[in-house]
Amino acid sequence: MELTSFAWISEAVSFSLQAYCFYLFRGRKSLQLLMVVLCVRNLVSVATHTMPWPYFYQLYFGRIITALVGLWAVADVACEPGTPKWTLRLPVVFAALLAI
């Protein structure tokens, strides 16, 4: 897959916004982890854009990891001052089982 100028610009903008959000979410570790995962996915997709198989696998597994970390972060944000109940962690468990 060849990266066009639009693809380069969109990758740069998304990486910049995710890095800025990482800076903004200093107190929330799960949201920072989500931003780190998204930044790493952008870097890996740029690095593997000329190799079909690694590019496909990083898209596939990157989406799974992003979904799991995102579900974890949603539970943390929903119970912001405290810790979430175990029932809010069930979607992460079911998503992990589906991914396996």
Side-chain angles (χ1 to χ4, degrees):
M1 180 178 130
E2 187 175 329
L3 287 179
T4 62
S5 60
F6 176 75
W8 281 109
I9 291 170
S10 68
E11 289 288 340
V13 168
S14 65
F15 183 80
S16 301
L17 289 174
Q18 290 159 0
Y20 180 65
C21 287
F22 175 81
Y23 174 73
L24 286 180
F25 300 143
R26 279 175 267 159
R28 300 179 181 133
K29 298 298 181 194
S30 60
L31 289 175
Q32 279 188 324
L33 178 63
L34 180 62
M35 291 303 123
V36 166
V37 167
L38 291 174
C39 286
V40 169
R41 283 191 58 203
N42 282 345
L43 294 175
V44 172
S45 74
V46 168
T48 61
H49 75 278
T50 58
M51 301 173 269
W53 286 105
Y55 183 75
F56 168 74
Y57 284 119
Q58 69 87 17
L59 282 179
Y60 184 73
F61 290 114
R63 288 178 182 159
I64 292 171
I65 293 169
T66 302
L68 293 175
V69 173
L71 287 171
W72 191 272
V74 165
D76 285 343
V77 170
C79 299
E80 176 51 36
T83 58
K85 296 180 182 179
W86 66 272
T87 54
L88 290 175
R89 299 295 188 203
L90 284 178
V92 178
V93 173
F94 289 132
L97 290 174
L98 286 174
I100 292 172

